[in-house]
Amino acid sequence: MGWAIAVHGGAGDIPLSLPPEKRLPREAGLRRCLDVGIAALKAHNHPLDVVELVVRELENNPHFNAGKGSVLTTSGTVEMEACIMDGKTMKCGAVSGVSTVVNAISLARLVMDKTPHIFLAFDGAEAFAREQGLETVEMSHFITPENIERLKQAQEADRVQLDYTQPIPKEVPKEAAVADGDSQIGTVGCVAVDSEGSLATATSTGGIVNKMVGRIGDTPIIGAGTYANHLCAISATGRGEAIIRGTIARDVAAVMEFKGLSLKEAAAYVIDQVPRGNAGLIAVSSTGEVTMPFNTTGMFRACATEDGYSEIAIWDSPTK
Amino acid sequence: MGGWAIAVHGGAGVDPILPNERQEEATRLLTRCLDIGISALRSNLSAIDVVELVVRELETDPLFNSGRGSALTEKGTVEMEASIMDGPKRRCGAVSGLTTVKNPISLARLVMDKTPHSYLGFAGAEEFARKQGVELVDNEYFITEDNVGMLKLAKEANSILFDYRIPTLTTCGGGAAMENQLQMNGLPISLYAPETVGCVVVDKQGHCAAATSTGGLMNKMTGRIGDSPLIGSGTYACDLVAVSCTGEGEAIIRSTLAREVAAVMEYKGLNLHEAVDYVIKTRLDEGKAGLIAVSKNGEVACGFNTTGMFRGCATEDGFLEVGVW
């Protein structure tokens, strides 16, 4: 037993040839967020506070697809979503369609703490943010040149195949490979457990590039992208539609409970059920274990446990 | 074993002193919807088509809390949500924050069939609806006099209670409310509008499908999303089973109720009735909810820990039952 923490910056088709200028800032970002989380755990902060803090850092980092640096909708706008859950109380909060709130995860936390609801979206969420005095900015704050470029390329690729009145087979990824091979999908997340076994999870994202305005992904859906109970805390990333259908986050805990598998076995089992190239997750258990399986080319991730283990990785780690 | 089966619901949590007239209206509607579903099944429509058809009927009728007759937001407007899931391949579609779409469940179906996404909300969903040419109406169409009255009473009640977890009793100012210990979602049961309608079906091929639709919680904050459009919470279908839930949305979400039924069948090997029983008894804590479910083997089950649930079910071998308590 002891504390444990894991963070992720998105799973996807991250090419092994990712140039240093794209790789290094993200690795540095993961390292910094991991350190922030570790310090908070060592200072005996509650895991709920820890995950919120870490995800805020990830949202503020423009290299990840959340908060600043969020990918753009088909209209070139930003619609962010986030979700937080407390494993002990099973209280949770989620937001979607947020365009001006600097830290969507904190808004999700307020939904959890200050309303009788779990999930607020779009105008209602924005109004609530203002009522609560959360920091809001112009939407342009979140938009980066890289994402404008990503959208442009995605739309050029789509022009050939896209017509929303035709049935689009779900198995075909809508996002075409972008020239620089950069991952089109991503999310950020953090899971943590303290030495008492209290668990928490938080996930935040801008969604997928060129998404339809109003599209809600897996991140704010409890049981899909985010889930925590007394056994474990999970944050998932990848192709939202696959994660929703697979109720990924919930299933890890369900498999542990109903099939008696360990955290690692349960997480691997669940990821295995998802078609290749679609998902990854980070998870911690009440007994301080941590696991970070994925079936995509890579997943930006980092973890640490109280006994001194720590890891930062993108692709398969040699120790696996 | 085998054969088709169908169940419909019009919400869990019924005022024990609900006037007979209302009970009769409800049972008539449930019976009508069951009949529609049964005819469709006998005509070999697939499960996914049947659930959509039946839920459309429930949305159109103003009696229950979906489509026309939806509960009102704190602003007195209607914001509807729905989801649909097809067991084979677990395809799904969901919508939230609809204000002009006459049949939300059909828009959810279109999200599933015509977009690369699973869930659209608010302005984006409305825009999609316009592009798809679905029937649109003014928001006023959905608002009934009954619900305008209920909203007023709910606001009066809420001015005393804010946190729905607090199990204190309050008497409301309105004439319709009586001293009553029962509460759901922080409102005395007489003001509480059952949240949802739903339908689950297994067709002759053994394919399961589920659909759920609602106006949500009376006096909810605008932008509030409940369990109905959330896959795994209010709605779920896979190879084994299809489930639609109703009741306290937040409790259903926390317990991922619909997925739970399937998970205990899949991972613990429970049969449908055992699974429904287990989930209702152990997964809700202080939450109040109900659900209907069918299995690929043609079984049907419903469970609830509330006072009553408007429901009806039928199986191919001739079983038919409509109930409130």
Side-chain angles (χ1 to χ4, degrees):
Chain A
M1 294 222 19
W3 57 256
I5 180 170
V7 307
H8 74 74
D13 195 14
I14 308 166
L16 291 155
S17 55
L18 189 71
E21 64 267 19
K22 289 200 188 283
R23 180 173 54 85
L24 295 173
R26 282 155 168 169
E27 278 175 355
L30 288 170
R31 184 171 293 112
R32 209 166 65 77
C33 291
L34 188 70
D35 287 343
V36 164
I38 291 170
L41 279 166
K42 283 180 169 162
H44 302 291
N45 286 308
H46 190 280
L48 206 52
D49 295 326
V50 175
V51 300
E52 183 188 352
L53 188 63
V54 171
V55 169
R56 283 174 66 95
E57 285 296 324
L58 288 160
E59 285 171 338
N60 295 340
N61 187 317
H63 294 106
F64 296 110
N65 175 14
K68 187 164 193 193
S70 282
V71 298
L72 307 179
T73 70
T74 197
S75 300
T77 55
V78 161
E79 288 179 358
M80 301 171 286
E81 39 199 27
C83 184
I84 190 164
M85 189 161 187
D86 179 338
K88 184 163 271 163
T89 61
M90 308 279 290
K91 287 184 70 171
C92 38
V95 292
S96 264
V98 169
S99 304
T100 68
V101 179
V102 175
N103 291 105
I105 193 64
S106 295
L107 185 61
R109 178 91 192 253
L110 285 172
V111 172
M112 178 175 92
D113 288 341
K114 299 282 170 85
T115 77
H117 302 323
I118 284 177
F119 196 171
L120 285 185
F122 294 88
D123 289 349
E126 291 272 331
F128 176 64
R130 279 160 182 75
E131 261 169 52
Q132 292 292 313
L134 269 196
E135 192 184 355
T136 57
V137 291
E138 291 287 317
M139 190 171 63
S140 52
H141 161 92
F142 305 100
I143 300 176
T144 59
E146 291 78 18
N147 278 308
I148 294 175
E149 185 56 33
R150 279 204 188 96
L151 178 63
K152 185 158 163 289
Q153 296 184 346
Q155 287 177 330
E156 276 166 5
D158 270 348
R159 204 182 301 135
V160 181
Q161 44 162 292
L162 184 66
D163 174 6
Y164 284 129
T165 58
Q166 308 289 356
I168 297 172
K170 283 271 177 47
E171 298 78 64
V172 174
K174 181 178 177 293
E175 306 87 40
V178 169
D180 70 0
D182 205 358
S183 172
Q184 293 294 310
I185 52 183
T187 318
V188 300
C190 180
V191 292
V193 59
D194 64 17
S195 48
E196 265 107 65
S198 293
L199 291 146
T201 174
T203 317
S204 180
T205 188
I208 54 175
V209 181
N210 201 23
K211 64 182 179 178
M212 289 172 74
V213 168
R215 178 258 191 187
I216 295 174
D218 64 289
T219 294
I221 300 181
I222 297 291
T226 309
Y227 186 77
N229 66 7
H230 63 285
L231 288 173
C232 57
I234 300 101
S235 171
T237 165
R239 219 166 284 286
E241 286 68 24
I243 296 170
I244 291 171
R245 172 181 314 147
T247 55
I248 301 293
R250 174 67 188 109
D251 271 30
V252 175
V255 165
M256 282 182 78
E257 186 177 347
F258 301 135
K259 283 170 88 85
L261 298 193
S262 70
L263 181 77
K264 260 195 168 53
E265 290 167 338
Y269 178 92
V270 169
I271 288 294
D272 244 5
Q273 306 291 310
V274 181
R276 274 212 81 69
N278 277 268
L281 64 89
I282 55 173
V284 288
S285 72
S286 60
T287 54
E289 303 160 283
V290 66
T291 185
M292 306 187 289
F294 52 95
N295 69 9
T296 47
T297 315
M299 179 169 79
F300 293 105
R301 65 198 187 280
C303 69
T305 55
E306 189 167 6
D307 62 11
Y309 177 75
S310 89
E311 179 190 326
I312 297 179
I314 302 175
W315 301 281
D316 273 345
S317 53
T319 53
K320 246 181 80 176
Chain B
M1 283 276 101
W4 55 257
I6 176 172
V8 302
H9 73 73
V14 185
D15 188 352
I17 54 166
L18 187 73
N20 278 333
E21 195 186 283
R22 290 276 302 204
Q23 291 187 47
E24 279 160 23
E25 259 187 285
T27 46
R28 267 200 301 276
L29 175 57
L30 290 165
T31 307
R32 198 175 81 237
C33 290
L34 261 192
D35 286 342
I36 288 170
I38 292 169
S39 296
L41 281 163
R42 289 191 175 135
S43 317
N44 282 319
L45 252 61
S46 64
I48 191 77
D49 289 332
V50 179
V51 296
E52 183 189 355
L53 192 63
V54 171
V55 170
R56 281 178 67 93
E57 192 62 32
L58 289 160
E59 286 171 338
T60 305
D61 193 297
L63 187 64
F64 293 130
N65 175 10
S66 71
R68 179 138 191 273
S70 279
L72 307 180
T73 68
E74 61 182 0
K75 297 208 158 89
T77 56
V78 162
E79 282 180 2
M80 300 167 290
E81 44 197 20
S83 65
I84 191 166
M85 191 161 186
D86 195 10
K89 301 194 184 166
R90 290 171 297 158
R91 301 186 309 132
C92 43
V95 287
S96 273
L98 298 185
T99 53
T100 68
V101 176
K102 185 153 181 271
N103 287 103
I105 196 63
S106 294
L107 192 68
R109 176 97 193 249
L110 287 170
V111 171
M112 179 174 82
D113 289 343
K114 301 281 170 93
T115 77
H117 302 322
S118 297
Y119 191 2
L120 286 183
F122 297 84
E126 290 271 323
E127 179 61 26
F128 175 63
R130 261 191 297 284
K131 291 207 170 105
Q132 289 292 312
V134 302
E135 195 176 353
L136 303 175
V137 292
D138 284 334
N139 199 246
E140 281 72 43
Y141 162 86
F142 305 103
I143 299 174
T144 59
E145 223 175 274
D146 260 1
N147 280 322
V148 171
M150 290 290 233
L151 179 64
K152 188 158 172 295
L153 295 176
K155 281 183 181 294
E156 284 163 17
N158 271 159
S159 63
I160 308 163
L161 289 175
F162 174 75
D163 183 356
Y164 73 98
R165 290 167 169 283
I166 300 171
T168 51
L169 183 266
T170 184
T171 42
C172 342
M178 312 247 302
E179 278 266 348
N180 194 321
Q181 291 291 343
L182 290 172
Q183 290 216 336
M184 277 183 73
N185 269 315
L187 291 173
I189 193 85
S190 50
L191 295 186
Y192 171 75
E195 287 197 41
T196 335
V197 300
C199 180
V200 291
V201 162
V202 55
D203 60 28
K204 294 185 193 175
Q205 279 69 45
H207 295 150
C208 301
T212 315
S213 179
T214 189
L217 186 58
M218 185 67 76
N219 200 26
K220 65 183 180 180
M221 292 171 73
T222 53
R224 178 260 189 183
I225 292 175
D227 63 293
S228 301
L230 302 187
I231 296 298
S233 289
T235 306
Y236 188 76
C238 61
D239 284 332
L240 290 178
V241 65
V243 185
S244 171
C245 305
T246 165
E248 293 183 319
E250 282 71 18
I252 294 168
I253 293 172
R254 221 174 273 128
S255 58
T256 53
L257 205 62
R259 173 62 185 128
E260 208 65 4
V261 174
V264 300
M265 289 177 74
E266 210 174 313
Y267 299 133
K268 269 171 90 87
L270 298 192
N271 69 34
L272 182 72
H273 288 95
E274 292 166 337
V276 170
D277 229 30
Y278 175 84
V279 165
I280 292 289
K281 286 202 167 82
T282 68
R283 296 286 138 163
L284 284 169
D285 294 329
E286 312 105 44
K288 297 255 169 283
L291 63 92
I292 53 175
V294 289
S295 74
K296 71 171 199 262
N297 299 324
E299 303 159 286
V300 65
C302 51
F304 50 96
N305 68 356
T306 49
T307 347
M309 179 168 79
F310 293 110
R311 69 207 179 274
C313 46
T315 58
E316 190 168 5
D317 61 14
F319 173 74
L320 190 141
E321 181 186 86
V322 174
V324 177
W325 312 111

